[in-house]
Amino acid sequence: MKIAVLMKQVPDTWSDRKLDLTTGQIDRTTAEQVADEINERALESALRHKDQDASTEIVAVTMGPTGAQAALRRALSMGADSAILVNDPSLAGSDMVRTALALASALRDIGPDLVLAGNESTDGRGGLVPAMIAEVLQFPHLPAVDRVEISDSQVTGQLQVEGAVVSVQSEYPALVSVTEQSAEARIPNFKGIMKAKKKPLDVKTLADLGIDVGPGAATAKSVMVGATERPPRNAGTKITDDGTAAQQLAEFLSSRRLLQNHQ
Amino acid sequence: MGNVLVFIETTTTGETKSSAAALLGAAAGLGTPVAVAAVPAEAAESLGRTLATAGAEHIYLVTVPEASSELGTAAVGALAQASEEYAAIAALLPHTNDSKNIAGRLAIVRGGAVTADVVALRMEEDEVIAEHSVFGGDYTTESTVEEGLMVVTVRQGAIEARAAAVTNPSVRLEELRIKTAPGAKIISIEPVTEESERPSLLAARTVVSGGKGIGSRESFSLVEDLADVLGAAVGASRAAVDANYVPQALQVGQTGVTVSPQLYVALGISGAIQHRAGMQTAKTIVAINNDADAPIFDIADFGVVGDVFKVVPELIEAVKAQES
């Protein structure tokens, strides 16, 4: 079976993440750029299947600037067989539909039985790209599944919706997006890191993919029209408990009308 | 005024879920609300009444068999059809696991574009402007869609506006005509019953959360007791969830739920950046922690350096006294 796993390079959530206020885009110069944890979980699900069936081929795919190769190297060091970076200057600042169209073209060339993705990146948190790719490729989509079971003939998963848990299933080809409840990702070992350096990592431009999703091509597009930074939050009163702290706090809540009898 | 589609999430028997009223409220602020759903035919009449009360001017229902077997497919088709029939300027959907799937697919089917996880919407010079809260509320961005259907997913609990009831809405029952990609097969739908009487995290006016400092699953009842006296929802930090004190559904933070209540009380939570990303837009923040250097105190309006197991029981008594 051939499994394609979508990766993304994002600012580390443990760092102070910044937006460029003139473009509304992520400022990639401030925070450390790392492979998004959610995609590593998707990759882990693929790797567990490969552990069972060594004939499984795993291709890691991302779209982004040249630096996004680091996320792919990480995937290769965890155990993916090869990687593809879709990189084209005209894709900078792409909205979700354009991103999905470009990734879908790359995936079409790969011809996977199964595409695995994270349910939403930690930076954009839109969570719509997997569904878009599924629709473009005409693959059934198992969205936001907490657990994924990959067998030779079908894939199964469970997603949480309001008031229920839904079990869904598909034969191949299919696209599955996983939540952070899914498989905990393995840490690459030294051997994996050394091996990764020799694994193929191809960079493809839009011309290579034979598509034009540049600014001229898409008719509808999502555009950013404003970005502002929230003023920093300041510390207020801070007391050390001397036996009266609870009383003082209750009075504070009452004075701000935050107790139930004020509601 | 343009027509604004609102996707109505429904149960298997065709009753509305909690997102309907807020979405219709948001749509009424932009144009004429058109409620769209895919439901069993026998549920249509009762659903129509509910949606009229919640402010739908037009109701467009695609009828499906009760045991609809494909995830989202009928809903994508219903919205695609309605967007043509009503020349809709925008389609609003809840930002939930199942509706995000529908929104993404709809944008491809209709050649539209999306604006996701929106916290506010307004009309400005004939354009729908969507507001987003980015990086845990550190930034606010605004976006719109040019030259096509604007597909919007709306953050649960973010919209307070409600639409006025409509006395005589137009109701249409249609067949599914538009062909889309196949959906995943639904094998089972297991209802999850809410065990607790407490408000949900997203809707609560007050949230009381516990962290690693609570120490064990058993002592987490301390957090629940304070929540109950404040009429609050219960939340937790990732550390508390990872330590199995509470289920993951209660996790507040970057990778959990983002809340924006009037009052947020953090008990035994250090306030790591990932936790702050899920709660720092709360109106008032209160923290109790025995570590005077915990970063949570940098953003707390009222911080108590002290033992939660001593201060919280005293606080519960003091709050009861204040309220009586």
Side-chain angles (χ1 to χ4, degrees):
Chain A
M1 180 176 356
K2 192 187 260 190
I3 305 178
V5 181
L6 297 176
M7 307 291 293
K8 191 176 181 189
Q9 180 100 324
V10 298
D12 192 347
T13 57
W14 290 102
S15 62
D16 198 11
R17 298 172 295 172
K18 297 281 183 203
L19 272 195
D20 180 334
L21 293 178
T22 54
T23 63
Q25 308 286 338
I26 291 168
D27 180 345
R28 295 185 193 272
T29 59
T30 52
E32 193 191 345
Q33 303 292 307
V34 297
D36 204 342
E37 177 191 326
I38 193 70
N39 307 124
E40 292 186 1
R41 288 178 185 272
L43 175 58
E44 178 63 33
S45 291
L47 290 169
R48 286 184 189 181
H49 187 71
K50 191 180 169 75
D51 292 342
Q52 304 291 316
D53 176 358
S55 71
T56 308
E57 182 190 346
I58 301 175
V59 187
V61 184
T62 195
M63 174 182 130
T66 313
Q69 289 189 22
L72 294 176
R73 285 284 170 215
R74 170 99 182 162
L76 293 172
S77 66
M78 284 173 68
D81 297 294
S82 62
I84 290 171
L85 169 67
V86 179
N87 171 259
D88 197 293
S90 71
L91 287 170
S94 286
D95 70 4
M96 284 188 256
V97 169
R98 283 174 67 204
T99 303
L101 292 173
L103 287 170
S105 293
L107 288 167
R108 213 176 259 133
D109 287 354
I110 296 165
D113 300 296
L114 175 63
V115 181
L116 284 169
N119 67 325
E120 59 177 40
S121 61
T122 52
D123 56 351
R125 295 199 75 175
L128 300 175
V129 170
M132 291 174 177
I133 294 173
E135 187 69 31
V136 175
L137 295 177
Q138 299 279 301
F139 284 13
H141 178 211
L142 286 63
V145 303
D146 290 334
R147 275 212 321 278
V148 55
E149 289 142 50
I150 302 166
S151 80
D152 289 335
S153 58
Q154 60 190 27
V155 59
T156 309
Q158 285 81 39
L159 71 140
Q160 295 178 33
V161 304
E162 185 181 319
V165 173
V166 182
S167 293
V168 284
Q169 190 176 68
S170 176
E171 291 167 1
Y172 301 117
L175 187 149
V176 178
S177 58
V178 301
T179 70
E180 60 150 10
Q181 292 292 289
S182 68
E184 182 87 33
R186 63 192 66 186
I187 310 287
N189 57 23
F190 181 72
K191 198 172 141 206
I193 294 166
M194 294 313 289
K195 269 170 110 174
K197 291 180 178 165
K198 298 199 183 92
K199 290 178 178 173
L201 192 164
D202 287 342
V203 180
K204 290 194 189 284
T205 64
L206 292 182
D208 294 335
L209 296 171
I211 49 164
D212 179 12
V213 294
T219 46
K221 61 171 187 258
S222 170
V223 290
M224 197 79 85
V225 294
T228 50
E229 188 168 6
R230 186 178 52 82
R233 205 169 176 128
N234 296 318
T237 312
K238 181 176 168 188
I239 59 170
T240 300
D241 182 29
D242 60 357
T244 65
Q247 187 58 38
Q248 291 182 56
L249 178 48
E251 281 161 17
F252 168 81
L253 295 176
S254 178
S255 71
R256 289 217 177 177
R257 310 188 69 76
L258 290 167
L259 298 180
Q260 277 203 85
N261 57 355
H262 295 133
Q263 293 169 21
Chain B
M1 279 207 305
N3 290 319
V4 178
L5 306 185
V6 171
F7 176 64
I8 308 296
E9 282 189 1
T10 51
T11 63
T12 45
T13 51
E15 282 143 42
T16 60
K17 294 192 183 178
S18 69
S19 50
L23 260 57
L24 286 165
L30 303 173
T32 305
V34 182
V36 180
V39 290
E42 57 273 23
E45 199 182 324
S46 139
L47 181 63
R49 279 194 302 272
T50 309
L51 294 175
T53 309
E57 297 265 1
H58 304 286
I59 297 166
Y60 186 91
L61 303 177
V62 163
T63 53
V64 293
E66 177 157 353
S68 181
S69 59
E70 268 189 35
L71 187 72
T73 306
V76 175
L79 285 160
Q81 285 172 209
S83 74
E84 284 177 3
E85 307 243 357
Y86 292 91
I89 52 168
L92 314 186
L93 299 90
H95 192 71
T96 55
N97 286 336
D98 40 347
S99 286
K100 282 194 284 186
N101 173 43
I102 296 164
R105 292 173 61 185
L106 175 66
I108 296 298
V109 170
R110 290 292 287 125
V114 298
T115 176
D117 196 17
V118 164
V119 296
L121 285 157
R122 66 172 193 278
M123 208 67 187
E124 196 174 290
E125 292 168 3
D126 289 340
E127 266 189 335
V128 178
I129 306 288
E131 194 180 303
H132 314 256
S133 180
V134 181
F135 291 162
D138 280 347
Y139 295 88
T140 296
T141 61
E142 293 183 341
S143 69
T144 187
V145 166
E146 292 175 348
E147 317 273 334
L149 179 67
M150 179 166 175
V151 178
V152 183
T153 62
V154 179
R155 184 179 290 184
Q156 292 276 78
I159 306 279
E160 282 174 14
R162 295 293 181 268
V166 171
T167 45
N168 204 6
S170 76
V171 181
R172 289 174 58 181
L173 284 176
E174 299 287 334
E175 302 276 311
L176 190 62
R177 331 182 236 100
I178 289 185
K179 182 103 179 75
T180 64
K185 280 192 289 284
I186 297 175
I187 311 168
S188 69
I189 301 177
E190 299 291 332
V192 177
T193 42
E194 284 297 329
E195 296 154 15
S196 125
E197 304 269 298
R198 296 187 190 102
S200 77
L201 262 179
L202 286 168
R205 193 173 176 273
T206 302
V207 174
V208 180
S209 288
K212 199 70 193 295
I214 299 301
S216 72
R217 184 193 293 231
E218 292 68 38
S219 42
F220 213 84
S221 60
L222 185 73
V223 179
E224 294 164 353
D225 291 346
L226 180 61
D228 290 341
V229 75
L230 293 171
V234 169
S237 69
R238 183 170 182 168
V241 170
D242 286 349
N244 273 321
Y245 300 170
V246 290
Q248 201 269 342
L250 300 189
Q251 184 174 321
V252 172
Q254 164 71 35
T255 50
V257 178
T258 301
V259 297
S260 208
Q262 293 297 307
L263 171 62
Y264 188 88
V265 182
L267 304 177
I269 290 176
S270 66
I273 196 162
Q274 290 196 335
H275 185 71
R276 298 207 303 270
M279 46 65 76
Q280 63 183 354
T281 56
K283 197 102 174 181
T284 298
I285 296 172
V286 167
I288 306 175
N289 198 307
N290 58 7
D291 175 8
D293 297 325
I296 192 79
F297 289 123
D298 298 341
I299 60 165
D301 298 284
F302 197 103
V304 175
V305 181
D307 178 1
V308 287
F309 297 102
K310 174 173 174 289
V311 177
V312 174
E314 289 173 4
L315 178 62
I316 290 169
E317 291 313 311
V319 168
K320 282 183 184 162
Q322 286 279 351
E323 290 191 333
S324 63

